[in-house]
Amino acid sequence: MGPGRFRGVQHGRVLPGAHQLEYKVALCKPLDGASSNGRTRDFESRYLGSNPSAPTTLSLEDALGLSIGIVGLPNVGKSTLFNALSGANVLAANYPFATKDPNVGVVPVPDARLAKLATVHKSKKILAAALEFVDIAGLVKGASKGEGLGNKFLANIREASAIAHVLRCFEDGDVVHVDGAVDPERDKDVVDTELMLKDLEALDKKRERAAKDAKGLGKPAEEAKLDIAIIDRIREALNSGKPARSLKYTDDELPRVREMFLLSAKPVLYVANVDENQLARIGEDPANAKKDPTVAKVVAIAERENARWVAICSKVEAEISELPLEERTEFLGSIGLTEPGLHKLARAGFDLLGLMSYFTAGPEETRAWVIQKGWRAPAAAGVIHTDFERGFIKAEVIRWDLLLEYGSEAAARAKGALRIEGKEYVVQDGDVMHFMFNV
C-alpha cells in the first residue's frame, strides 16, 4: 500500500501506527514518512463507498467469483422466482425467451445468529452474507446446435459456478408449457441432454489436441495421456446419458476436470416450482412432497443424484417480497409457513457452493463474511482485504454461541473462551474473529 510500513488490525486491535475507519475494518495508515496511494482510495471506494459510515455488502461474485445460474425451460417460472429473490423487475412474460439477457441479483442469506450477535455490541448495522443469482434465458431442444437462444444460454451457464434448475410442477392453463404437458422429469432430461451434447462437442476438440500432445516426449506428453484417460471416461458417461457430475473423481483428477469447464459437471440444486395448493399440502415437512405425484418426481431425481432440492411457489414468494416487513409473518402463518421458501433456497445454494460464514462484530456493525469451507485464517482474512492475508500475524477467535453466553469479549477472555490462532487454523462456521496483521 505504497512506500513505508503499514500496521493495522481489524476490529479494534490496533497496533502502533494503525488507523481505524468506520465499522472497524482497518484501513492501514502509513507510519511517519510514508504516504498513501491509489490502493488506499480504491479500498475506501470498494469497501466503504462514497460514505464511509454506510458500507456496502460485497456480493459473492465480488468476493469469491461465485454465482448460481437459474436455468430451466421457458415458462417454468424462472423470472418470477428471480423477481422474488432480488426484488428486480425482470420481464416475466408468457412466451419463450422473455428473459433475453442474464439478470443478476444479490440475495442476502438469512442467518439468525447475526441479530443475536448484534445485541452484544449494540451494533448499528447488520450485514448478512449474500448469494449472487443469475436469471438465464430459457432453452429449447436443439440449444446445443444454436436453436432458440441456445448459444447464449450455454455460454451464460458456463460462467456460473452452480445451477439452480427450476422444474415446473404446477398446472396453469394461462401459462403455456413449451412442450405441452407438465412433466419435470422430461424437462430435466431436455436441459441435461443439451448440456451433455455441448460437453461432448467440447471434449472431442480437447481429445484431438491432447492426442497430438501425447505423441511427444517428456512431461507434456504424460500429462496429455492422463487428460485423454479422463476425457474418455467422461465421454463414455455422457454417451450413456449420465452428466459429468455423476462421476467420482480422484483428488488428482478434479483439477483437470475443472479446467475442462464442462457444463454438465456443475453442481445442481433442483427447485420444484409449485402452485398455492401444492404448497399448502407440502407445508414445511419435506416428506409431504412425495405425496404430490409431480413434486415426487423432483424428489426422486434429487435422491437419485444425491442432490439438494427445495419446493417453493414462486408466485407466493413474489407476493411476499412485495409486502411490508411487518405484514410478512402474518401472511406466512396464514399459509402454514414460518419463513419464506426463498430463505430455504438461499441456504441450500450457500451449501451447494460449499460456503460458510465467519463474523466480525463491533458497535458500528455485525457482519458475515463468506468463505469456502476448509479455508485457513489468512485466506479468510483476505476476504476483508488482501493486505490482511499478506501481513497476517494472528487471529483472536471465539465461537458465536460462547460470545452470547458470556455477554462480552472481556468476559469470554476472562473465562478462556477467546483464543489466539495462527496461520494454520481452519476457520469454523460461526467463528467471531479479530485479525492482527502487519504490512
Side-chain angles (χ1 to χ4, degrees):
M1 294 181 64
R5 293 175 297 129
F6 301 85
R7 296 189 179 196
V9 65
Q10 198 270 344
H11 272 271
R13 307 293 183 263
V14 184
L15 299 178
H19 174 66
Q20 262 184 302
L21 289 181
E22 300 290 336
Y23 88 110
K24 302 233 176 160
V25 170
L27 172 59
C28 297
K29 178 182 178 181
L31 298 179
D32 294 341
S35 62
S36 63
N37 63 6
R39 282 192 58 198
T40 299
R41 291 188 294 274
D42 288 344
F43 176 82
E44 289 178 317
S45 175
R46 184 176 182 188
Y47 288 87
L48 300 180
S50 58
N51 178 8
S53 65
T56 56
T57 300
L58 294 177
S59 71
L60 271 182
E61 181 67 22
D62 285 330
L64 300 176
L66 300 176
S67 64
I68 296 179
I70 304 176
V71 305
L73 294 180
N75 299 342
V76 299
K78 299 187 317 302
S79 292
T80 303
L81 173 62
F82 181 83
N83 288 346
L85 276 168
S86 65
N89 186 25
V90 181
L91 174 64
N94 180 26
Y95 56 88
F97 320 130
T99 312
K100 293 185 178 180
D101 294 305
N103 295 273
V104 179
V106 178
V107 185
V109 179
D111 193 330
R113 297 173 296 183
L114 282 167
K116 295 176 182 178
L117 282 173
T119 62
V120 175
H121 292 282
K122 297 181 174 59
S123 303
K124 297 177 184 177
K125 303 172 187 174
I126 296 176
L127 290 174
L131 271 179
E132 182 169 285
F133 283 88
V134 181
D135 183 22
I136 299 174
L139 88 168
V140 294
K141 291 178 182 177
S144 60
K145 302 299 181 183
E147 293 293 328
L149 297 175
N151 290 331
K152 193 170 187 178
F153 170 90
L154 297 167
N156 290 331
I157 288 185
R158 198 179 302 280
E159 294 171 0
S161 306
I163 295 171
H165 191 165
V166 182
L167 295 169
R168 177 172 170 174
C169 296
F170 64 90
E171 297 281 355
D172 188 338
D174 293 329
V175 181
V176 180
H177 191 288
V178 69
D179 283 328
V182 172
D183 185 347
E185 182 121 33
R186 178 205 58 213
D187 293 354
K188 181 259 185 189
D189 288 343
V190 169
V191 173
D192 273 357
T193 297
E194 297 305 323
L195 299 184
M196 289 188 288
L197 287 172
K198 200 65 178 178
D199 282 347
L200 280 169
E201 180 183 315
L203 288 175
D204 286 344
K205 295 178 181 178
K206 292 179 185 296
R207 195 187 192 286
E208 185 177 340
R209 290 194 297 269
K212 292 180 181 179
D213 293 338
K215 295 177 181 178
L217 299 174
K219 188 173 182 180
E222 295 302 318
E223 293 289 331
K225 291 174 183 176
L226 291 174
D227 284 340
I228 289 174
I230 297 172
I231 288 171
D232 286 347
R233 187 155 69 93
I234 297 175
R235 288 171 72 200
E236 182 180 357
L238 295 176
N239 281 317
S240 63
K242 297 178 181 178
R245 65 178 176 271
S246 67
L247 297 177
K248 293 183 178 180
Y249 304 100
T250 66
D251 291 340
D252 291 333
E253 290 175 332
L254 274 174
R256 297 176 185 276
V257 175
R258 292 192 186 103
E259 290 177 2
M260 295 177 187
F261 300 104
L262 300 176
L263 302 174
S264 69
K266 295 182 182 296
V268 176
L269 162 68
Y270 291 105
V271 181
N273 195 10
V274 301
D275 63 24
E276 295 93 325
N277 292 328
Q278 290 171 304
L279 182 66
R281 289 195 295 269
I282 295 172
E284 296 193 334
D285 185 356
N288 290 335
K290 293 185 177 182
K291 298 177 183 178
D292 183 290
T294 309
V295 181
K297 291 184 178 181
V298 178
V299 177
I301 291 169
E303 290 180 345
R304 188 166 64 241
E305 298 185 4
N306 195 28
R308 298 166 182 80
W309 67 274
V310 293
I312 67 172
C313 176
S314 60
K315 185 176 180 181
V316 167
E317 298 299 326
E319 292 174 1
I320 293 172
S321 68
E322 294 176 356
L323 289 174
L325 290 175
E326 61 272 14
E327 296 180 17
R328 293 183 183 182
T329 300
E330 181 180 354
F331 179 80
L332 287 167
S334 69
I335 57 177
L337 301 177
T338 58
E339 67 172 353
L342 295 183
H343 286 191
K344 299 174 185 177
L345 176 60
R347 284 194 292 264
F350 204 66
D351 191 46
L352 178 69
L353 292 171
L355 302 173
M356 66 179 210
S357 298
Y358 73 87
F359 306 118
T360 55
E364 289 299 321
E365 74 170 33
T366 293
R367 181 169 186 158
W369 297 91
V370 182
I371 62 173
Q372 290 279 359
K373 293 177 181 177
W375 276 17
R376 289 180 167 80
V383 172
I384 298 176
H385 193 273
T386 54
D387 282 342
F388 282 32
E389 179 177 10
R390 186 159 59 93
F392 180 89
I393 299 173
K394 59 184 176 180
E396 289 187 339
V397 184
I398 182 173
R399 290 286 308 162
W400 73 276
D401 50 349
L402 289 178
L403 180 55
L404 288 181
E405 179 181 338
Y406 292 116
S408 71
E409 292 177 10
R413 184 180 290 104
K415 295 291 185 179
L418 193 151
R419 61 192 190 277
I420 301 296
E421 298 289 355
K423 293 182 178 181
E424 297 303 310
Y425 176 67
V426 177
V427 179
Q428 302 299 307
D429 183 61
D431 280 347
V432 181
M433 306 187 74
H434 298 161
F435 297 110
M436 297 183 183
F437 74 101
N438 185 358
V439 179

